[in-house]
């Protein structure tokens, strides 16, 4: 299979987005947008850094790579519309497996009526998959991380630490309880796009997706909004079976495990009820985990019982040490 038959094989039979004028097949894609803001993000996945064939199937690799990008669109309040994919293919991968990556990726794309409108295909030393997503959002509904205000309620969707626990299970095979839940959280995370969109009536909302761990994301909100966040450790939601791990692992993973792709947000107390109602309607867990204060700008304090713990420091995986 050459590059051209490969591109032909991953091309959609038809496109779904009404704003698309030209997809795959010319020098570049063309779409228009008259009424909304255009939101775009890109993520790169390098074999054995971001994923491994030991812990994921090709189709899961594709699915997950898009889910990660969709999580960024969700955190901006955007409606997904398009994606572009650039792939570096090494000799160690069969074309059939590369096509399976695209099967997983396009499965998720179709759930959101997204169109694959272009990309690039080259050969190289190791598998690298780069995905660019494009979405739309109403100008006054963009969920910037600088929008937190004192007295806001801090909440998080779902549970945290699961993806990291799932990866641990995959890397240390043993007898575990609730293994399929943790492993699924790692291999096929669910971006919270519907929830973020369902909140579009809420006037002011600050959102950040939990890609680098709750602690890091909270610090980013505190810094961008120039406020203090106080989180209560006992309210941080973890899933059933999380307690089977060592206490130190639990503490590290729920704050800095990362890759949960849940949403961390802040909202005024007046709108908190609305957030809870919408989460209920979507059968999604949402938990109040703290409050915003004017306090010490840019800092996040974790409360354990009745006393504060020193301000959280950024932690976790660093690419450029
Ligand atoms: P060009 O040389 O003009 O860049 P290419 O031969 O690289 O064209 O690509 C031909 C068409 O196929 C373009 O529309 C491009 O966007 C698309 N394409 C190439 N690789 C991919 C890919 N991995 N995923 C999606 N579209 C792709
Ligand atoms: Mg090209």
């Amino acid at each position: 299979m050459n590059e051209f038959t490969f591109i032909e094989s991953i091309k959609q039979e038809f496109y779904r987005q009404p704003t698309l004028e030209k997809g795959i097949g010319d020098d570049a894609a063309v779409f228009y947008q008259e009424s909304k803001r255009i939101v775009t993000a890109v993520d790169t996945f390098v074999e054995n850094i971001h994923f491994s064939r030991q812990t994921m199937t090709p189709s899961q690799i594709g699915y997950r790579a898009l889910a990660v990008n969709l999580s960024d669109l969700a955190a901006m309040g955007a409606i997904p519309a398009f994606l572009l994919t650039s792939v570096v293919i090494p000799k160690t991968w069969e074309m059939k497996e590369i096509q399976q990556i695209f099967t997983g990726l396009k499965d998720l794309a179709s759930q959101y009526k997204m169109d694959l409108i272009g990309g690039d295909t080259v050969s190289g030393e190791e598998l690298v998959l780069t995905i660019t997503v494009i979405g739309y959002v109403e100008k006054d509904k963009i969920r910037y991380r600088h929008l937190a205000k004192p007295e806001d309620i801090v909440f998080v969707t779902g549970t945290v630490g699961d993806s990291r626990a799932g990866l641990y299970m995959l890397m240390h095979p043993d007898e575990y309880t609730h293994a399929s839940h943790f492993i699924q959280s790692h291999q096929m995370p669910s971006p919270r796009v519907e929830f973020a969109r369902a909140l579009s009536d809420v006037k002011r909302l600050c959102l950040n997706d939990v890609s680098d761990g709750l602690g890091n994301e909270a610090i980013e909100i505190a810094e961008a909004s120039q406020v203090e966040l106080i989180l209560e450790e006992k309210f941080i939601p973890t899933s059933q079976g999380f307690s089977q791990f060592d206490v130190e692992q639990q503490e590290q993973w729920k704050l800095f495990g990362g890759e949960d792709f849940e949403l961390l947000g802040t909202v005024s107390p007046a709108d908190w009820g609305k957030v809870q109602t919408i989460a209920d309607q979507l059968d999604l867990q949402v938990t109040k985990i703290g409050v915003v204060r004017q306090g010490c700008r840019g800092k996040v304090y974790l409360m354990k019982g009745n006393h504060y713990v020193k301000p959280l420091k950024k932690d976790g995986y660093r690419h450029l040490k």
Side-chain angles (χ1 to χ4, degrees):
M1 183 180 288
N2 64 33
E3 177 195 337
F4 303 104
T5 48
F6 168 72
I7 295 169
E8 206 48 46
S9 78
I10 60 166
K11 202 168 140 181
Q12 288 174 215
E13 277 168 37
F14 59 91
Y15 292 112
R16 311 170 183 105
Q17 290 290 327
T19 53
L20 183 67
E21 300 205 331
K22 185 73 193 179
I24 291 178
D26 212 308
D27 297 310
V30 181
F31 65 91
Y32 66 92
Q33 182 49 250
E34 280 153 7
S35 57
K36 298 194 175 85
R37 291 297 184 259
I38 297 168
V39 183
T40 185
V42 61
D43 269 302
T44 300
F45 304 88
V46 180
E47 185 173 8
N48 296 325
I49 301 276
H50 300 96
F51 65 87
S52 148
R53 275 202 274 194
Q54 266 69 63
T55 56
M56 276 194 272
T57 66
S59 142
Q60 287 167 343
I61 291 166
Y63 184 102
R64 188 170 191 281
L66 180 58
V68 171
N69 273 281
L70 284 178
S71 182
D72 283 323
L73 288 186
M76 296 305 280
I79 310 167
F82 303 115
L83 70 145
L84 294 99
T85 57
S86 167
V87 58
V88 180
I89 306 176
K91 289 204 174 62
T92 50
W93 281 67
E94 285 179 32
M95 284 314 282
K96 205 176 75 208
E97 295 171 307
I98 304 294
Q99 285 173 313
Q100 286 163 358
I101 292 183
F102 278 82
T103 305
L105 194 153
K106 285 163 68 186
D107 267 356
L108 185 60
S110 71
Q111 287 177 35
Y112 291 99
K113 298 193 169 57
M114 296 180 90
D115 288 327
L116 175 60
I117 60 171
D120 203 16
T121 307
V122 297
S123 57
E125 292 299 311
E126 58 190 342
L127 189 87
V128 181
L129 176 64
T130 304
I131 301 184
T132 302
V133 285
I134 296 166
Y136 301 142
V137 62
E138 302 80 356
K139 180 176 185 282
D140 56 346
K141 306 284 187 218
I142 309 174
R143 307 316 195 175
Y144 291 118
R145 59 177 69 154
H146 67 243
L147 294 176
K149 291 221 163 94
E151 310 317 321
D152 274 4
I153 281 169
V154 182
F155 63 87
V156 68
T157 60
T159 49
V160 291
D162 298 16
S163 169
R164 186 62 190 79
L167 178 61
Y168 183 87
M169 287 175 165
L170 287 162
M171 297 191 1
H172 304 88
D174 205 339
E175 299 263 314
Y176 296 106
T177 63
H178 304 280
S180 61
H181 164 79
F182 290 104
I183 289 171
Q184 164 101 5
S185 304
H186 178 71
Q187 293 174 330
M188 297 180 82
S190 305
R192 301 303 182 194
V193 176
E194 292 89 349
F195 175 68
R197 284 306 301 172
L199 293 176
S200 66
D201 274 352
V202 176
K203 209 161 183 313
R204 179 185 55 83
L205 189 64
C206 161
L207 291 178
N208 209 359
D209 76 317
V210 185
S211 47
D212 293 330
L214 189 66
N216 290 320
E217 310 301 343
I219 294 170
E220 284 176 359
I221 290 179
E223 287 176 350
S225 297
Q226 284 295 293
V227 292
E228 174 184 289
L229 264 60
I230 300 168
L231 308 182
E232 287 211 45
E233 183 171 55
K234 65 173 184 283
F235 294 145
I236 296 176
T238 55
S239 66
Q240 224 187 352
F242 198 63
S243 59
Q244 71 191 294
F245 301 101
D246 293 346
V247 172
E248 298 87 72
Q249 282 174 320
Q250 291 180 44
E251 291 213 343
Q252 178 67 17
W253 294 350
K254 71 183 181 186
L255 284 170
F256 299 106
E259 307 200 310
D260 288 305
F261 305 113
E262 296 296 347
L263 291 174
L264 175 67
T266 89
V267 69
S268 73
D271 284 330
W272 170 231
K274 203 183 265 179
V275 172
Q276 286 174 294
T277 306
I278 288 166
D280 269 358
Q281 284 163 356
L282 294 174
D283 206 14
L284 178 68
Q285 182 178 340
V286 63
T287 312
K288 173 181 171 178
I289 58 168
V291 288
V292 179
R293 296 277 179 248
Q294 190 66 65
C296 204
R297 289 158 193 253
K299 297 275 187 256
V300 176
Y301 290 89
L302 189 67
M303 274 185 83
K304 290 192 181 204
N306 284 330
H307 53 273
Y308 292 107
V309 178
K310 56 194 179 316
L312 289 183
K313 282 209 179 67
K314 287 201 176 181
D315 194 0
Y317 191 88
R318 288 278 165 266
H319 287 275
L320 307 176
K321 284 205 184 92

